[in-house]
Amino acid sequence: PPTAPSRAAVVARLRAAGCVFAEGEAALLVAAARTPDELAAMVERRAGGHPLEHVLGWAGVGGLRLARDPGGFVPRRPPPQPPGRGRRPRGRAPHPRSASAPFTRFPRSA
């Protein structure tokens, strides 16, 4: 029977392919694969540029694992904001209708 690639080998293959989060992706792939052959195929698909969610068959959204069909759109998460930093660039005033602007009541028209 074929032996599964070691986690270190999976990380090395993903890193060589340019995967930024190789350790985390390797852990997910190793956990998802049912056989050594399936793991090898999954690693090659990911290293070949397929989105991780397509390879796994699910997408993590809000702490949930949502099953997805092949070819389905998977939105990317926005990068996290650094702690203590707001989303508005320094020196720019908030938009007049933003949540940080004071609320103004306008009279109802008849």
XYZ file of all heavy atoms in Angstrom:
811
model
N 0.837 -1.192 0.000
C 0.000 0.000 0.000
C 0.883 1.258 0.000
O 1.912 1.292 0.663
C -0.815 -0.092 1.276
C -0.142 -1.091 2.151
C 0.697 -1.938 1.264
N 0.457 2.309 -0.723
C 1.261 3.534 -0.747
C 1.246 4.229 0.608
O 0.281 4.138 1.361
C 0.588 4.390 -1.803
C -0.776 3.828 -1.980
C -0.725 2.398 -1.547
N 2.346 4.896 0.916
C 2.413 5.636 2.178
C 2.112 7.101 1.911
O 2.455 7.640 0.857
C 3.806 5.517 2.824
O 4.772 6.042 1.909
C 4.137 4.079 3.151
N 1.447 7.717 2.866
C 1.079 9.134 2.730
C 2.320 10.003 2.865
O 3.224 9.682 3.635
C 0.060 9.504 3.807
N 2.372 11.100 2.115
C 3.488 12.031 2.315
C 3.444 12.568 3.736
O 2.365 12.756 4.300
C 3.230 13.145 1.305
C 2.104 12.703 0.448
C 1.446 11.545 1.101
N 4.595 12.807 4.311
C 4.630 13.368 5.661
C 4.110 14.803 5.622
O 4.078 15.443 4.570
C 6.060 13.359 6.206
O 6.853 14.286 5.490
N 3.687 15.282 6.771
C 3.203 16.663 6.833
C 4.309 17.625 6.400
O 4.054 18.599 5.700
C 2.717 17.007 8.227
C 2.149 18.437 8.276
C 1.568 18.778 9.592
N 0.340 18.032 9.786
C -0.591 18.340 10.646
N -0.430 19.399 11.403
N -1.666 17.622 10.781
N 5.556 17.336 6.791
C 6.678 18.195 6.395
C 6.839 18.211 4.875
O 7.120 19.256 4.284
C 7.963 17.730 7.065
N 6.635 17.056 4.232
C 6.740 16.994 2.774
C 5.611 17.774 2.110
O 5.818 18.443 1.092
C 6.726 15.539 2.302
N 4.422 17.710 2.688
C 3.281 18.463 2.151
C 3.554 19.960 2.287
O 3.359 20.734 1.342
C 1.964 18.073 2.862
C 0.824 18.982 2.440
C 1.621 16.615 2.574
N 4.039 20.390 3.450
C 4.363 21.805 3.671
C 5.414 22.254 2.671
O 5.288 23.316 2.054
C 4.829 22.050 5.126
C 5.415 23.451 5.291
C 3.691 21.829 6.105
N 6.453 21.448 2.477
C 7.517 21.814 1.543
C 6.988 21.949 0.123
O 7.348 22.884 -0.605
C 8.641 20.785 1.601
N 6.108 21.042 -0.296
C 5.544 21.096 -1.648
C 4.671 22.339 -1.831
O 4.746 23.022 -2.852
C 4.732 19.824 -1.924
C 4.039 19.807 -3.265
C 5.055 19.708 -4.401
N 4.370 19.688 -5.676
C 4.376 20.692 -6.557
N 5.062 21.793 -6.296
N 3.726 20.603 -7.684
N 3.843 22.639 -0.826
C 2.984 23.811 -0.901
C 3.798 25.101 -0.874
O 3.525 26.042 -1.619
C 1.956 23.807 0.236
C 0.927 22.677 0.217
C 0.042 22.745 1.448
C 0.095 22.716 -1.052
N 4.809 25.129 -0.026
C 5.662 26.322 0.051
C 6.391 26.537 -1.270
O 6.495 27.665 -1.757
C 6.639 26.182 1.201
C 7.405 27.474 1.422
C 8.023 27.571 2.769
N 6.961 27.698 3.748
C 7.085 27.359 5.003
N 8.198 26.871 5.458
N 6.082 27.493 5.836
N 6.881 25.462 -1.875
C 7.567 25.575 -3.166
C 6.629 26.087 -4.259
O 7.061 26.743 -5.202
C 8.154 24.220 -3.563
N 5.340 25.804 -4.101
C 4.347 26.260 -5.080
C 3.898 27.694 -4.810
O 3.139 28.255 -5.591
C 3.136 25.331 -5.065
N 4.358 28.271 -3.698
C 4.023 29.659 -3.400
C 2.874 29.853 -2.443
O 2.379 30.976 -2.305
N 2.424 28.806 -1.781
C 1.334 28.937 -0.808
C 1.862 29.644 0.443
O 2.796 29.160 1.082
C 0.763 27.569 -0.434
S -0.005 26.719 -1.811
N 1.270 30.770 0.781
C 1.737 31.583 1.900
C 1.463 30.902 3.239
O 2.280 30.950 4.145
C 1.071 32.977 1.861
C 1.495 33.826 3.037
C 1.414 33.679 0.555
N 0.312 30.264 3.366
C -0.075 29.627 4.626
C 0.102 28.112 4.524
O -0.820 27.340 4.816
C -1.523 29.987 4.969
C -1.744 31.471 5.054
C -2.427 32.136 4.059
C -1.240 32.193 6.115
C -2.625 33.500 4.122
C -1.424 33.568 6.191
C -2.123 34.224 5.193
N 1.274 27.675 4.107
C 1.530 26.267 3.812
C 1.270 25.353 5.010
O 0.701 24.270 4.840
C 2.965 26.087 3.310
N 1.664 25.766 6.210
C 1.479 24.893 7.383
C 0.003 24.655 7.667
O -0.419 23.529 7.903
C 2.168 25.486 8.621
C 3.671 25.467 8.568
C 4.254 26.663 7.821
O 3.475 27.556 7.382
O 5.477 26.703 7.661
N -0.783 25.710 7.664
C -2.212 25.579 7.924
C -2.921 24.789 6.839
O -3.792 23.957 7.121
N -2.555 25.053 5.581
C -3.178 24.320 4.478
C -2.806 22.846 4.526
O -3.639 21.982 4.264
C -2.777 24.944 3.149
C -3.364 26.314 2.953
C -3.094 26.898 1.574
O -2.704 26.168 0.652
O -3.305 28.103 1.428
N -1.552 22.566 4.877
C -1.122 21.171 4.978
C -1.927 20.432 6.039
O -2.354 19.290 5.827
C 0.372 21.099 5.294
N -2.157 21.074 7.175
C -2.934 20.438 8.239
C -4.349 20.122 7.764
O -4.876 19.034 8.035
C -2.972 21.341 9.468
N -4.964 21.051 7.031
C -6.315 20.815 6.521
C -6.333 19.695 5.488
O -7.232 18.844 5.496
C -6.877 22.094 5.907
C -7.179 23.228 6.884
C -7.504 24.509 6.148
C -8.317 22.826 7.812
N -5.362 19.673 4.602
C -5.313 18.632 3.572
C -5.077 17.255 4.183
O -5.728 16.280 3.802
C -4.229 18.964 2.540
C -4.504 20.186 1.665
C -3.273 20.560 0.856
C -5.697 19.942 0.756
N -4.140 17.173 5.133
C -3.852 15.887 5.782
C -5.094 15.379 6.508
O -5.423 14.185 6.445
C -2.644 16.021 6.743
C -2.517 14.816 7.649
C -1.356 16.246 5.947
N -5.822 16.286 7.175
C -7.020 15.879 7.914
C -8.147 15.453 6.971
O -8.941 14.570 7.311
C -7.492 17.014 8.813
N -8.223 16.061 5.799
C -9.331 15.782 4.879
C -9.128 14.534 4.036
O -10.105 13.886 3.640
C -9.553 16.978 3.959
N -7.887 14.192 3.760
C -7.614 13.057 2.869
C -7.945 11.733 3.553
O -7.616 11.514 4.715
C -6.145 13.076 2.447
N -8.601 10.851 2.795
C -8.967 9.539 3.343
C -7.926 8.475 3.046
O -7.870 7.451 3.722
C -10.326 9.113 2.794
C -11.457 10.010 3.296
C -12.741 9.683 2.605
N -12.590 10.096 1.204
C -13.536 10.607 0.470
N -14.732 10.735 0.949
N -13.315 10.972 -0.772
N -7.112 8.695 2.016
C -6.084 7.719 1.644
C -4.806 8.469 1.271
O -4.850 9.673 0.953
C -6.523 6.878 0.425
O -6.601 7.738 -0.720
C -7.848 6.182 0.673
N -3.671 7.795 1.279
C -2.426 8.434 0.837
C -2.511 8.941 -0.606
O -2.013 10.030 -0.907
C -1.381 7.329 0.975
C -1.926 6.420 2.024
C -3.414 6.456 1.837
N -3.166 8.176 -1.478
C -3.304 8.615 -2.870
C -4.157 9.871 -2.968
O -3.870 10.774 -3.761
C -3.916 7.504 -3.733
C -2.939 6.368 -3.984
O -1.714 6.595 -3.879
O -3.406 5.252 -4.278
N -5.211 9.928 -2.171
C -6.067 11.115 -2.183
C -5.302 12.330 -1.677
O -5.416 13.429 -2.236
C -7.323 10.885 -1.334
C -8.302 12.043 -1.413
C -9.569 11.802 -0.610
O -9.534 11.096 0.414
O -10.608 12.353 -1.026
N -4.487 12.163 -0.633
C -3.682 13.266 -0.121
C -2.717 13.760 -1.194
O -2.607 14.967 -1.426
C -2.920 12.852 1.144
C -1.958 13.906 1.704
C -2.702 15.194 2.051
C -1.216 13.347 2.908
N -2.044 12.843 -1.857
C -1.104 13.240 -2.908
C -1.814 14.004 -4.023
O -1.310 15.024 -4.512
C -0.393 12.008 -3.464
N -3.003 13.555 -4.408
C -3.761 14.230 -5.460
C -4.216 15.611 -5.002
O -4.169 16.583 -5.774
C -4.963 13.380 -5.874
N -4.650 15.716 -3.748
C -5.088 17.004 -3.218
C -3.931 17.996 -3.160
O -4.087 19.169 -3.508
C -5.714 16.817 -1.829
C -7.031 16.056 -1.844
S -7.610 15.623 -0.197
C -8.332 17.171 0.310
N -2.776 17.520 -2.725
C -1.601 18.392 -2.642
C -1.212 18.880 -4.034
O -0.916 20.063 -4.229
C -0.425 17.662 -1.952
C 0.864 18.458 -2.073
C -0.752 17.391 -0.484
N -1.241 18.008 -5.007
C -0.879 18.413 -6.374
C -1.894 19.401 -6.951
O -1.513 20.330 -7.658
C -0.710 17.197 -7.278
C 0.564 16.430 -6.983
C 1.808 17.327 -6.918
O 2.057 18.099 -7.870
O 2.517 17.267 -5.902
N -3.166 19.209 -6.658
C -4.176 20.174 -7.129
C -3.940 21.544 -6.507
O -3.998 22.562 -7.184
C -5.588 19.692 -6.788
C -6.075 18.567 -7.688
C -7.518 18.202 -7.427
N -8.391 19.323 -7.745
C -9.541 19.570 -7.111
N -9.959 18.776 -6.149
N -10.284 20.602 -7.450
N -3.683 21.553 -5.199
C -3.433 22.833 -4.518
C -2.150 23.471 -5.030
O -2.110 24.671 -5.304
C -3.368 22.623 -3.002
C -3.120 23.897 -2.231
C -4.258 24.871 -2.414
N -3.945 26.137 -1.774
C -3.941 27.302 -2.391
N -4.270 27.403 -3.661
N -3.628 28.406 -1.748
N -1.100 22.689 -5.164
C 0.166 23.212 -5.669
C 0.024 23.687 -7.115
O 0.738 24.591 -7.548
C 1.258 22.148 -5.569
N -0.923 23.116 -7.842
C -1.177 23.524 -9.218
C -1.996 24.795 -9.334
O -2.262 25.257 -10.446
N -2.420 25.368 -8.205
C -3.118 26.649 -8.238
C -4.601 26.608 -7.966
O -5.256 27.648 -7.965
N -5.158 25.435 -7.722
C -6.587 25.370 -7.396
C -6.819 25.986 -6.017
O -6.039 25.759 -5.096
C -7.087 23.927 -7.395
C -7.134 23.305 -8.739
N -8.220 23.422 -9.576
C -6.222 22.576 -9.414
C -7.970 22.787 -10.705
N -6.770 22.271 -10.632
N -7.895 26.745 -5.835
C -8.189 27.307 -4.510
C -8.359 26.191 -3.478
O -8.913 25.120 -3.776
C -9.508 28.059 -4.713
C -9.557 28.353 -6.176
C -8.868 27.193 -6.838
N -7.875 26.445 -2.281
C -7.943 25.443 -1.218
C -9.368 24.959 -1.004
O -9.605 23.765 -0.818
C -7.375 26.021 0.088
C -7.379 25.091 1.292
C -6.472 23.883 1.046
C -6.957 25.834 2.541
N -10.341 25.878 -1.058
C -11.735 25.506 -0.838
C -12.238 24.546 -1.911
O -13.062 23.679 -1.635
C -12.613 26.764 -0.807
C -12.314 27.687 0.362
C -11.158 28.657 0.094
O -10.539 28.597 -0.979
O -10.887 29.473 0.973
N -11.737 24.673 -3.120
C -12.130 23.752 -4.195
C -11.522 22.380 -3.961
O -12.153 21.357 -4.224
C -11.671 24.301 -5.551
C -12.449 25.492 -6.001
N -12.753 25.722 -7.305
C -12.996 26.521 -5.311
C -13.442 26.840 -7.415
N -13.592 27.336 -6.209
N -10.295 22.356 -3.477
C -9.624 21.075 -3.213
C -10.298 20.352 -2.046
O -10.517 19.141 -2.098
C -8.118 21.298 -2.936
C -7.433 19.999 -2.544
C -7.430 21.927 -4.139
N -10.636 21.092 -0.996
C -11.246 20.481 0.195
C -12.710 20.114 -0.013
O -13.210 19.186 0.604
C -11.142 21.438 1.390
C -9.749 21.725 1.924
C -9.807 22.822 2.972
C -9.122 20.458 2.485
N -13.412 20.899 -0.845
C -14.834 20.664 -1.035
C -15.705 21.425 -0.055
O -16.911 21.213 0.007
N -15.106 22.320 0.713
C -15.860 23.148 1.634
C -15.136 24.475 1.817
O -13.958 24.599 1.524
C -16.081 22.467 2.981
C -14.836 22.021 3.702
C -14.255 20.796 3.646
C -14.014 22.809 4.588
N -13.129 20.768 4.426
C -12.958 21.981 5.026
C -14.064 24.107 5.044
C -11.972 22.420 5.895
C -13.072 24.548 5.908
C -12.053 23.702 6.339
N -15.892 25.459 2.292
C -15.330 26.777 2.578
C -15.667 27.149 4.009
O -16.776 26.901 4.472
C -15.896 27.820 1.619
N -14.707 27.725 4.704
C -14.943 28.207 6.056
C -15.518 29.612 6.002
O -14.899 30.518 5.461
N -16.728 29.781 6.538
C -17.395 31.085 6.537
C -17.970 31.320 7.926
O -18.838 30.565 8.361
C -18.524 31.151 5.475
C -19.224 32.499 5.521
C -17.990 30.851 4.095
N -17.480 32.334 8.593
C -18.008 32.677 9.916
C -17.931 31.545 10.913
O -18.830 31.364 11.712
N -16.881 30.759 10.862
C -16.723 29.635 11.784
C -17.470 28.378 11.376
O -17.438 27.375 12.082
N -18.151 28.402 10.234
C -18.881 27.241 9.736
C -18.139 26.636 8.553
O -17.414 27.323 7.851
C -20.288 27.652 9.273
C -21.195 28.301 10.300
C -22.468 28.790 9.637
C -21.511 27.320 11.411
N -18.343 25.371 8.320
C -17.830 24.710 7.118
C -18.997 24.489 6.179
O -19.896 23.696 6.467
C -17.184 23.366 7.459
C -15.861 23.512 8.134
C -15.193 22.164 8.287
N -13.902 22.327 8.918
C -13.043 21.359 9.097
N -13.346 20.139 8.692
N -11.895 21.586 9.661
N -18.991 25.209 5.083
C -20.072 25.105 4.110
C -19.604 24.297 2.911
O -18.591 24.633 2.291
C -20.514 26.495 3.653
C -20.973 27.439 4.765
C -21.335 28.795 4.181
C -22.140 26.848 5.520
N -20.336 23.228 2.616
C -20.002 22.403 1.453
C -20.203 23.234 0.195
O -21.066 24.102 0.134
C -20.888 21.164 1.417
N -19.372 22.972 -0.788
C -19.484 23.723 -2.035
C -19.352 22.761 -3.203
O -18.717 21.728 -3.096
C -18.447 24.832 -2.119
C -17.037 24.384 -1.771
C -15.987 25.209 -2.405
N -16.208 25.437 -3.796
C -15.933 24.554 -4.769
N -15.455 23.387 -4.475
N -16.146 24.843 -6.027
N -20.007 23.135 -4.299
C -19.938 22.337 -5.518
C -18.696 22.728 -6.312
O -18.218 23.864 -6.206
C -21.175 22.584 -6.385
C -22.436 22.059 -5.737
O -22.346 21.035 -5.027
O -23.505 22.659 -5.928
N -18.171 21.817 -7.129
C -17.022 22.172 -7.962
C -17.339 23.386 -8.833
O -18.410 23.481 -9.414
C -16.802 20.932 -8.821
C -17.419 19.819 -8.041
C -18.579 20.435 -7.303
N -16.424 24.325 -8.861
C -16.594 25.519 -9.672
C -17.387 26.620 -9.013
O -17.532 27.693 -9.569
N -17.914 26.374 -7.813
C -18.684 27.406 -7.116
C -17.798 28.544 -6.661
O -16.619 28.371 -6.389
N -18.366 29.729 -6.600
C -17.621 30.911 -6.180
C -17.357 30.849 -4.690
O -18.240 30.557 -3.898
C -18.412 32.169 -6.534
C -17.777 33.427 -6.029
C -16.619 33.912 -6.614
C -18.318 34.115 -4.970
C -16.024 35.066 -6.151
C -17.736 35.278 -4.504
C -16.590 35.760 -5.097
N -16.122 31.144 -4.315
C -15.749 31.205 -2.906
C -15.180 32.592 -2.646
O -14.103 32.923 -3.138
C -14.688 30.133 -2.547
C -14.290 30.252 -1.089
C -15.192 28.748 -2.861
N -15.918 33.448 -1.902
C -15.397 34.788 -1.641
C -14.163 34.722 -0.758
O -14.059 33.863 0.116
C -16.554 35.495 -0.940
C -17.414 34.408 -0.412
C -17.203 33.207 -1.291
N -13.241 35.593 -1.017
C -12.024 35.663 -0.206
C -12.271 36.538 1.002
O -12.975 37.530 0.938
C -10.873 36.246 -1.024
C -10.515 35.388 -2.188
C -9.821 34.173 -1.681
N -9.593 33.267 -2.799
C -9.449 31.983 -2.668
N -9.525 31.426 -1.494
N -9.225 31.222 -3.699
N -11.660 36.178 2.102
C -11.762 36.982 3.311
C -10.912 38.233 3.149
O -9.803 38.155 2.627
C -11.243 36.195 4.509
C -12.145 35.069 4.908
C -11.457 34.290 5.978
N -10.407 33.521 5.312
C -10.319 32.214 5.337
N -11.134 31.523 6.042
N -9.387 31.586 4.685
N -11.400 39.367 3.654
C -10.546 40.559 3.629
C -9.411 40.392 4.626
O -9.565 39.688 5.629
C -11.488 41.687 4.050
C -12.582 41.014 4.797
C -12.699 39.626 4.226
N -8.268 40.996 4.384
C -7.170 40.868 5.342
C -7.563 41.492 6.671
O -8.288 42.495 6.703
C -6.019 41.639 4.689
C -6.629 42.452 3.621
C -7.932 41.817 3.253
N -7.106 40.917 7.770
C -7.476 41.472 9.078
C -6.842 42.842 9.274
O -5.772 43.131 8.755
C -6.908 40.459 10.069
C -5.823 39.756 9.333
C -6.222 39.762 7.889
N -7.530 43.690 10.027
C -7.010 45.013 10.347
C -6.019 44.885 11.494
O -6.239 44.115 12.422
C -8.149 45.944 10.762
C -9.103 46.285 9.645
C -8.405 47.118 8.583
O -7.678 48.044 8.890
N -8.625 46.766 7.339
N -4.928 45.643 11.453
C -3.998 45.606 12.590
C -4.700 46.079 13.849
O -5.579 46.944 13.788
C -2.899 46.602 12.186
C -3.059 46.818 10.725
C -4.492 46.520 10.391
N -4.353 45.527 15.009
C -5.005 45.931 16.250
C -4.834 47.425 16.503
O -3.774 47.992 16.274
C -4.284 45.124 17.332
C -3.533 44.073 16.623
C -3.344 44.525 15.212
N -5.918 48.053 16.946
C -5.853 49.457 17.303
C -5.902 50.412 16.125
O -5.752 51.606 16.297
N -6.088 49.904 14.944
C -6.130 50.773 13.768
C -7.536 50.771 13.204
O -8.170 49.737 13.111
C -5.179 50.277 12.676
C -3.726 50.197 13.049
C -3.032 51.551 13.061
N -3.228 52.301 11.852
C -2.337 52.438 10.889
N -1.188 51.845 10.977
N -2.604 53.182 9.837
N -8.003 51.925 12.769
C -9.299 52.027 12.135
C -9.186 51.727 10.657
O -8.102 51.569 10.119
N -10.311 51.646 9.986
C -10.319 51.379 8.551
C -10.100 52.653 7.732
O -9.719 52.582 6.589
C -11.634 50.731 8.140
C -11.787 49.343 8.686
C -13.022 48.710 8.099
N -13.240 47.396 8.647
C -12.732 46.279 8.143
N -11.985 46.325 7.083
N -12.972 45.125 8.695
N -10.371 53.826 8.321
C -10.244 55.071 7.590
C -8.780 55.516 7.600
O -8.146 55.544 8.655
C -11.122 56.134 8.253
C -11.183 57.425 7.505
C -12.199 58.415 8.089
N -12.767 58.072 9.369
C -12.405 58.630 10.509
N -11.470 59.526 10.576
N -13.015 58.275 11.620
N -8.223 55.887 6.439
C -6.844 56.382 6.422
C -6.708 57.629 7.290
O -7.631 58.436 7.396
C -6.582 56.719 4.957
C -7.640 56.004 4.192
C -8.804 55.828 5.110
N -5.565 57.784 7.891
C -5.312 58.914 8.769
C -5.440 60.226 7.992
O -4.978 60.333 6.875
C -3.909 58.793 9.350
C -3.679 59.712 10.517
C -2.303 59.562 11.047
N -2.034 58.153 11.319
C -1.042 57.730 12.054
N -0.213 58.576 12.583
N -0.855 56.450 12.247
N -6.089 61.217 8.614
C -6.196 62.526 7.997
C -7.430 62.708 7.119
O -7.663 63.786 6.614
N -8.207 61.666 6.909
C -9.412 61.800 6.084
C -10.632 61.881 6.981
O -10.772 61.119 7.922
C -9.558 60.610 5.143
C -8.514 60.644 4.043
C -8.798 59.640 2.994
N -10.062 59.949 2.321
C -10.682 59.104 1.531
N -10.177 57.916 1.315
N -11.811 59.425 0.944
N -11.510 62.788 6.654
C -12.752 62.942 7.411
C -13.710 61.826 7.044
O -13.664 61.298 5.934
C -13.389 64.295 7.083
N -14.578 61.436 7.973
C -15.552 60.395 7.653
C -16.545 60.897 6.618
O -16.777 62.094 6.489
C -16.241 60.114 8.987
C -16.040 61.346 9.788
C -14.725 61.931 9.337
N -17.115 59.972 5.902
C -18.156 60.308 4.935
C -19.335 60.887 5.714
O -19.635 60.435 6.827
C -18.570 59.054 4.167
C -19.500 59.344 3.035
N -20.852 59.475 3.217
C -19.276 59.554 1.719
C -21.424 59.743 2.070
N -20.488 59.791 1.137
N -20.035 61.890 5.161
C -21.135 62.506 5.920
C -22.210 61.525 6.359
O -22.904 61.758 7.327
C -21.724 63.532 4.949
C -20.779 63.656 3.822
C -19.828 62.504 3.874
N -22.387 60.427 5.665
C -23.426 59.464 6.040
C -22.862 58.268 6.800
O -23.524 57.263 6.947
C -24.137 58.971 4.785
C -25.019 60.032 4.204
C -25.835 59.473 3.062
N -25.765 60.416 1.969
C -25.412 60.144 0.738
N -25.117 58.931 0.398
N -25.357 61.071 -0.174
N -21.626 58.345 7.248
C -21.038 57.202 7.944
C -21.562 57.123 9.374
O -22.137 58.068 9.906
C -19.513 57.294 7.959
O -19.101 58.307 8.845
N -21.314 55.997 10.010
C -21.797 55.772 11.370
C -21.127 56.712 12.359
O -21.678 56.995 13.413
C -21.555 54.333 11.776
N -19.942 57.233 12.030
C -19.251 58.108 12.970
C -19.724 59.555 12.863
O -19.368 60.383 13.673
C -17.741 58.032 12.751
O -17.434 58.433 11.437
N -20.530 59.879 11.853
C -21.063 61.238 11.716
C -22.278 61.381 12.623
O -23.013 60.427 12.852
C -21.457 61.500 10.264
N -22.505 62.591 13.161
C -23.695 62.767 14.020
C -24.978 62.560 13.241
O -25.055 62.866 12.068
C -23.575 64.214 14.519
C -22.566 64.869 13.656
C -21.731 63.794 13.012
N -25.986 62.021 13.915
C -27.255 61.731 13.288
C -28.088 63.002 13.251
O -28.197 63.713 14.234
C -27.980 60.632 14.052
C -29.291 60.255 13.449
C -29.354 59.501 12.305
C -30.470 60.684 14.029
C -30.572 59.142 11.750
C -31.699 60.335 13.488
C -31.730 59.569 12.341
N -28.688 63.302 12.138
C -29.542 64.475 11.985
C -30.923 64.023 11.568
O -31.065 63.249 10.638
C -28.977 65.429 10.905
O -27.646 65.748 11.247
C -29.807 66.678 10.816
N -31.937 64.523 12.279
C -33.314 64.217 11.894
C -33.814 65.303 10.963
O -33.634 66.489 11.218
C -34.223 64.144 13.116
C -34.006 62.930 13.931
C -35.085 62.860 14.985
N -34.845 61.696 15.794
C -35.526 60.562 15.674
N -36.511 60.480 14.823
N -35.250 59.535 16.426
N -34.417 64.866 9.914
C -35.014 65.792 8.970
C -36.528 65.723 9.134
O -37.091 64.648 9.352
C -34.627 65.431 7.528
C -33.166 65.612 7.268
C -32.308 64.529 7.281
C -32.651 66.881 7.014
C -30.956 64.697 7.038
C -31.303 67.051 6.780
C -30.447 65.960 6.791
N -37.215 66.892 9.017
C -38.678 66.864 9.146
C -39.294 66.060 8.009
O -38.787 66.047 6.906
C -39.086 68.333 9.078
C -37.911 69.072 8.539
C -36.700 68.218 8.769
N -40.367 65.379 8.321
C -41.075 64.612 7.287
C -41.792 65.567 6.352
O -42.357 66.569 6.782
C -42.098 63.672 7.908
C -41.479 62.571 8.683
C -42.545 61.649 9.152
N -41.941 60.631 9.981
C -42.533 59.522 10.312
N -43.769 59.302 9.911
N -41.944 58.650 11.066
N -41.751 65.219 5.088
C -42.485 66.036 4.147
C -43.926 65.553 4.080
O -44.217 64.375 4.260
C -41.836 65.990 2.763
O -41.775 64.655 2.331
N -44.831 66.472 3.814
C -46.259 66.134 3.799
C -46.683 65.474 2.539
O -46.191 65.442 1.528
C -47.088 67.378 4.039
